Amino acid sequence: MNQLRRELESYVQHVAIERGLAKNTVAAYRRDLERYVAFLENRGVQRAEDVTRAEVTTFAQDIRDGADGGAPLSARSAARTVVAVRGLHKFWVLEGTTTDNPASEVQPPSVGQRLPKALTIDEVRRILEATENETPAGLRDRALLEFLYSTGARISEAVSLDVDDVFVDQQGPGPGMVRVRGKGSKERIVPMGSFALEALNNYLVRTRPLLVAKGKGTPALFLNLRGGRLSRQSAWTIIQHAAERAQIGKEVSPHTMRHSFATHLLQGGADVRVVQELLGHASVTTTQVYTHVTVDTLREIYASAHPRARL
């Protein structure tokens, strides 16, 4: 293993352990940086200190059309790759591997804002009601769908839940709560509404005991029909099948449920920082992408509330 690849491994270990990034994020970093190191090796660069700004700039350009030998990347994927490269060079300087940072002034390609697609409240209702409530699989599917819409959890967060992560306040009629482990293993507590609680209770009482008996025993909340933990792929399929049965004429994914959760909260008057906390966003800027859908609502409020708003 040459020096470049040894230093790459050190950086990947750094982002995984010291920065606590999620496994999927670490895997993406590794793929992007392995492509970068291969590019450098093909140009005869063997040491970190020999990398120049020209190499970094050329790589950033070549990955857009695949001129480096890899698959062409979209602006968004290319921007992520350049960010990873910048982080690698910054790490090398901090660790004393190199004395300068040739990537410091190389900017990622501009990425247009990709606005989330939200379902209407009626479309969500139709999806939730499109499950079979009298079969074990149907009760589980309804619980999963209600949970996703009630909490705004990512699909990876939902399938990684254990039964003990869900709890109800026995002292009052308030909402149930769930402990969600988000990106970077950060935990947050999210409330659940009565519809999600009812669906989860039906699943836990009537279905989960039957499913867990088929497996080897697992604390997982959502199980597949063999008694093991439900996978992300299976959860994705559950959502798509429900959308098809509900005859929703648009693409519906797990993230669509998350988008809809955030959009409907903001439309209902929720503060953007509260929604940020519920979604587990590190920055409110990430959450503010959802506010575009509330423009009509803002106009209505302004027109009805401002004394000089008549147009």
Side-chain angles (χ1 to χ4, degrees):
M1 182 183 294
N2 63 30
Q3 187 222 31
L4 282 177
R5 294 195 176 273
R6 288 196 303 271
E7 298 297 340
L8 166 60
E9 285 300 319
S10 296
Y11 181 60
V12 171
Q13 291 297 317
H14 166 74
V15 298
I17 299 173
E18 297 186 30
R19 291 177 56 187
L21 298 185
K23 289 183 179 180
N24 288 343
T25 303
V26 173
Y29 267 64
R30 181 184 292 278
R31 287 194 301 271
D32 293 339
L33 293 176
E34 285 180 346
R35 179 169 181 170
Y36 177 55
V37 168
F39 166 83
L40 294 174
E41 290 173 339
N42 287 336
R43 293 173 69 91
V45 179
Q46 297 294 327
R47 301 185 306 166
E49 56 265 37
D50 293 336
V51 181
T52 66
R53 180 178 175 180
E55 266 98 28
V56 181
T57 302
T58 301
F59 176 73
Q61 296 170 343
D62 287 358
I63 57 178
R64 292 302 308 278
D65 58 9
D68 68 318
L73 298 182
S74 65
R76 187 173 297 276
S77 296
R80 183 201 64 215
T81 302
V82 173
V83 168
V85 169
R86 284 166 57 94
L88 175 65
H89 280 284
K90 183 177 180 179
F91 175 75
W92 283 347
V93 172
L94 292 175
E95 291 293 301
T97 303
T98 60
T99 57
D100 64 337
N101 182 352
S104 61
E105 297 182 9
V106 178
Q107 298 299 319
S110 176
V111 180
Q113 187 182 50
R114 184 174 61 183
L115 299 178
K117 298 177 181 178
L119 299 167
T120 66
I121 294 176
D122 181 66
E123 286 172 334
V124 172
R125 178 190 58 76
R126 285 160 52 194
I127 290 174
L128 296 175
E129 294 177 354
T131 54
E132 294 287 342
N133 285 334
E134 297 306 320
T135 66
L139 288 170
R140 179 206 58 195
D141 296 353
R142 179 63 178 267
L144 174 65
L145 294 170
E146 289 278 9
F147 175 83
L148 290 173
Y149 179 59
S150 183
T151 64
R154 301 176 179 91
I155 194 64
S156 58
E157 296 170 343
V159 297
S160 66
L161 286 172
D162 292 337
V163 174
D164 290 344
D165 291 323
V166 179
F167 53 96
V168 180
D169 183 3
Q170 301 296 335
Q171 304 301 316
M177 308 296 286
V178 60
R179 180 174 55 241
V180 178
R181 296 174 184 84
K183 292 184 176 180
S185 299
K186 295 180 180 178
E187 291 188 0
R188 66 186 187 277
I189 302 297
V190 181
M192 290 184 295
S194 60
F195 287 92
L197 277 175
E198 181 181 2
L200 273 173
N201 186 60
N202 286 336
Y203 161 69
L204 289 171
V205 172
R206 299 171 55 187
T207 294
R208 191 179 181 280
L210 300 176
L211 296 180
V212 77
K214 297 179 179 181
K216 298 180 180 180
T218 173
L221 177 60
F222 294 109
L223 304 180
N224 58 36
L225 297 182
R226 298 181 302 278
R229 187 181 293 274
L230 190 70
S231 68
R232 292 176 59 185
Q233 292 78 8
S234 295
W236 187 293
T237 301
I238 289 169
I239 295 169
Q240 289 185 320
H241 286 175
E244 291 172 1
R245 288 192 296 269
Q247 298 182 333
I248 303 298
K250 61 181 71 170
E251 182 180 352
V252 179
S253 70
H255 231 56
T256 307
M257 302 297 284
R258 182 169 161 87
H259 292 331
S260 303
F261 164 85
T263 299
H264 297 164
L265 278 175
L266 289 168
Q267 288 177 334
D271 183 270
V272 68
R273 292 195 178 274
V274 173
V275 178
Q276 173 197 355
E277 185 72 20
L278 293 173
L279 290 173
H281 286 160
S283 170
V284 73
T285 303
T286 308
T287 313
Q288 285 173 335
V289 69
Y290 295 99
T291 60
H292 80 283
V293 299
T294 66
V295 171
D296 290 339
T297 302
L298 292 176
R299 286 173 178 161
E300 292 175 5
I301 294 173
Y302 178 84
S304 63
H306 197 284
R308 306 284 291 181
R310 287 187 299 174
L311 301 177

